[in-house]
Amino acid sequence: MFVLCNQNKELVSYRAINRPDITDTEMETIMDTIVDSLFCFFVTLGAVPIIRCSRGTAAEMVAVKLDKKLRENLRDARNSLFTGDTLGAGQFSFQRPLLVLVDRNIDLATPLHHTWTYQALVHDVLDFHLNRVNLEESSGVENSPAGARPKRKNKKSYDLTAVDKFWQKHKGSPFPEVAESVQQELESYRAQEDEVKRLKSIMGLEGEDEGAISMLSDNTAKLTSAVSSLPELLEKKRLIDLHTNVATAVLEHIKTRKLDVYFEYEEKIMSKTTLDKSLLDMISDPDAGTPEDKMRLFLIYYISAQQAPSEADLEQYKKALTDAGCNLTPLQYIKQWKAFAKMASAPTSYGNTATKPMGLLSRVMNTGSQFVMEGVKNLVLKQQNLPVTRILDSLMEMKSNPETDDYRYFDPKMLRGSGNYIEYQNLVDYIKGKQGKHVLYGCSELFNATQFIKQLSLLGQK
């Protein structure tokens, strides 16, 4: 996974490209920035891609410019940056990457969707940037004298990187699975720690009899083995503490904002499944989520609806949203966007994605557990392909599909003339079943729902 512009990302943001007052010169500058970044990416990769893109979008502008830039570089063999690439055989090589360029407007619902996997949840609810999560930990209740200044919250930072085996294994897992895995790791660590303590106490055996001496030599070997694994044990403890703290912080958000309920409800909306509670009731419930959570839910409903709600219904929803403290400017933009894109007749399909609630995990429910998941639904993700993954599947497998049949094709070698962790995880899950194939997911900016809704809000302002 890669992000094109980590610094000054507002220059190539969704808002920057979709501003109604954008000039041609400004648009050219944005496209050039994206093209230069992609060009650098493929030089680093050491491969010239085959490019596919949707027509009539910003993605097509990027594709045309990138194709031209790659051609110009390949034309001069002596100064080409793709020196590691054998140009003679490479023209017909089957090892070339496929670059699929899509415009964010093909799917505006997914970036707003409340999620249920570990990495996407961390990015959605915590301060997570460049693989580092910053947490505020309360320093606990202390008997301080009356009138004393309250204790400050401790700020802690954790790096969630490729070295962290637990993160690599579980970042794409549903949250209840993560909570159970942390608990299992903790129990395994405690068992190892108890064994080291037991061996140490045996080493203090008194007496000189033969039984004691033979037991001593036998346990010396065991203790030597245990001590040699001590660095590994300490690293295990560090990772357990890290993920206990991060997962606990995520769990707090899930409980206080009822994020499990939002996730399940939105999945049902996107898969056109019958809802067990009216949307108006969800918006009006004072105990369910923040005003932003309610706005995200309603926008997903509005984007996914086969038919836009009538003006009378819309006014009723608007009143409920306003009463809940929501800012309606994002809705104003989505309303204009939907009318412009004529999405009412052909909304993006998300497939039958309904999640299955499972019986609560007994291990996680144990009173000795770090994570008391009471009141939180244990939802198991049902494998589904989001719009971006479906497009990739059609193009990679060369399937006929109305979504992609019109996509343009560029091969710079032929001699002729925004993002989010939910989508990324969906692609990772999809490629697991494709032997020998790999996916790299890149975006001009990596935003979570809060950042995206701010951009929609600014676009919706008159």
Side-chain angles (χ1 to χ4, degrees):
M1 184 181 189
F2 63 96
V3 183
L4 298 184
C5 292
N6 181 53
Q7 291 172 317
N8 303 323
K9 62 180 182 180
E10 62 282 351
L11 299 177
V12 294
S13 67
Y14 177 82
R15 182 196 169 215
I17 296 171
N18 290 277
R19 268 174 38 223
D21 58 344
I22 191 167
T23 64
D24 289 350
T25 315
E26 286 171 325
M27 189 58 126
E28 285 287 330
T29 307
I30 292 170
M31 296 298 110
D32 287 340
T33 305
I34 293 171
V35 167
D36 289 348
S37 302
L38 282 171
F39 179 78
C40 293
F41 172 75
F42 282 103
V43 168
T44 307
L45 204 61
V48 179
I50 285 165
I51 306 165
R52 302 296 305 271
C53 70
S54 50
R55 290 178 188 271
T57 62
E60 185 178 20
M61 291 172 72
V62 171
V64 171
K65 280 176 172 283
L66 181 60
D67 178 60
K68 186 183 175 200
K69 194 173 177 76
L70 287 165
R71 277 170 193 286
E72 285 169 356
N73 191 261
L74 290 169
R75 198 173 292 139
D76 183 357
R78 283 177 304 178
N79 294 313
S80 172
L81 291 163
F82 294 93
T83 47
D85 203 49
T86 50
L87 292 172
Q91 189 169 328
F92 304 104
S93 167
F94 293 104
Q95 297 302 313
R96 305 237 332 258
L98 169 70
L99 170 63
V100 181
L101 288 166
V102 289
D103 196 289
R104 178 73 272 160
N105 282 317
I106 64 147
D107 175 16
L108 289 187
T110 298
L112 296 165
H113 188 15
H114 288 88
T115 182
W116 201 231
T117 55
Y118 192 27
Q119 184 179 37
L121 266 167
V122 168
H123 187 236
D124 190 9
V125 304
L126 304 179
D127 176 10
F128 183 50
H129 183 62
L130 289 177
N131 296 329
R132 174 169 288 181
V133 63
N134 298 306
L135 292 182
E136 273 196 354
E137 294 177 340
S138 54
S139 45
V141 181
E142 292 191 12
N143 297 327
S144 51
R149 192 179 293 172
K151 289 210 81 172
R152 279 188 189 169
K153 286 188 171 182
N154 297 326
K155 287 196 173 183
K156 286 203 170 181
S157 293
Y158 301 108
D159 290 323
L160 301 171
T161 63
V163 183
D164 183 336
K165 287 177 186 171
F166 186 90
W167 178 247
Q168 287 304 101
K169 187 177 178 183
H170 294 291
K171 63 183 181 181
S173 305
F175 187 75
E177 269 182 39
V178 174
E180 185 179 28
S181 298
V182 172
Q183 191 60 30
Q184 285 171 346
E185 290 284 327
L186 186 62
E187 285 169 18
S188 158
Y189 166 77
R190 279 177 182 158
Q192 281 178 278
E193 193 183 40
D194 289 346
E195 177 65 4
V196 173
K197 283 177 184 170
R198 190 182 70 80
L199 289 167
K200 276 184 176 174
S201 68
I202 288 171
M203 293 301 282
L205 278 172
E206 290 176 11
E208 298 274 324
D209 59 58
E210 274 184 32
I213 289 164
S214 65
M215 193 187 278
L216 191 64
S217 59
D218 183 35
N219 282 300
T220 304
K222 283 185 184 175
L223 186 64
T224 307
S225 166
V227 169
S228 67
S229 65
L230 211 55
E232 194 183 316
L233 203 60
L234 291 169
E235 175 60 9
K236 197 173 187 180
K237 178 72 168 72
R238 185 186 72 81
L239 291 180
I240 292 166
D241 289 346
L242 186 163
H243 289 286
T244 299
N245 292 340
V246 172
T248 303
V250 169
L251 184 60
E252 281 304 305
H253 280 273
I254 292 172
K255 283 182 169 180
T256 54
R257 290 162 58 185
K258 296 190 177 176
L259 297 184
D260 51 333
V261 179
Y262 274 94
F263 168 70
E264 187 181 25
Y265 200 93
E266 288 163 5
E267 286 273 297
K268 286 179 177 176
I269 288 174
M270 290 160 82
S271 60
K272 313 285 186 288
T273 310
T274 313
L275 303 170
D276 48 6
K277 188 177 181 182
S278 88
L279 187 63
L280 216 52
D281 287 348
M282 278 287 286
I283 295 166
S284 306
D285 183 351
D287 298 323
T290 62
E292 188 184 272
D293 290 326
K294 294 172 195 289
M295 195 69 214
R296 284 166 66 176
L297 172 69
F298 183 73
L299 289 176
I300 288 169
Y301 159 73
Y302 194 85
I303 291 164
S304 308
Q306 209 91 31
Q307 210 167 349
S310 66
E311 279 303 317
D313 285 349
L314 191 58
E315 284 309 312
Q316 204 178 353
Y317 284 125
K318 277 184 175 178
K319 186 185 181 305
L321 288 163
T322 307
D323 291 348
C326 299
N327 172 6
L328 297 185
T329 45
L331 176 59
Q332 285 161 15
Y333 172 74
I334 292 292
K335 204 176 167 188
Q336 293 161 10
W337 167 81
K338 190 155 182 168
F340 176 73
K342 297 189 175 71
M343 288 292 283
S345 55
T348 304
S349 164
Y350 293 87
N352 185 15
T353 68
T355 46
K356 299 178 292 182
M358 299 285 281
L360 279 164
L361 297 169
S362 54
R363 182 186 291 277
V364 176
M365 286 297 292
N366 284 345
T367 46
S369 168
Q370 290 284 140
F371 305 99
V372 182
M373 299 279 285
E374 249 172 303
V376 176
K377 290 185 178 184
N378 177 24
L379 301 162
V380 175
L381 290 170
K382 196 173 175 185
Q383 190 50 47
Q384 47 154 327
N385 282 345
L386 291 173
V388 167
T389 308
R390 276 208 317 274
I391 287 165
L392 177 75
D393 179 50
S394 299
L395 294 172
M396 215 162 70
E397 305 295 331
M398 292 184 279
K399 296 174 181 173
S400 179
N401 185 330
E403 278 182 299
T404 55
D405 286 347
D406 196 33
Y407 268 48
R408 289 191 66 183
Y409 181 101
F410 297 88
D411 184 351
K413 281 191 178 182
M414 295 292 276
L415 302 175
R416 57 163 184 80
S418 338
N420 60 69
Y421 282 108
I422 310 172
E423 230 159 40
Y424 162 64
Q425 188 57 46
N426 195 247
L427 285 164
V428 169
D429 292 341
Y430 159 78
I431 210 71
K432 279 176 188 169
K434 308 283 174 186
Q435 245 182 336
K437 289 180 179 172
H438 307 276
V439 164
L440 283 163
Y441 172 84
C443 48
S444 52
E445 59 163 340
L446 179 65
F447 48 55
N448 60 21
T450 302
Q451 293 156 344
F452 187 47
I453 217 161
K454 274 181 191 165
Q455 294 193 37
L456 296 178
S457 180
L458 289 164
L459 284 163
Q461 285 172 356
K462 295 267 167 103

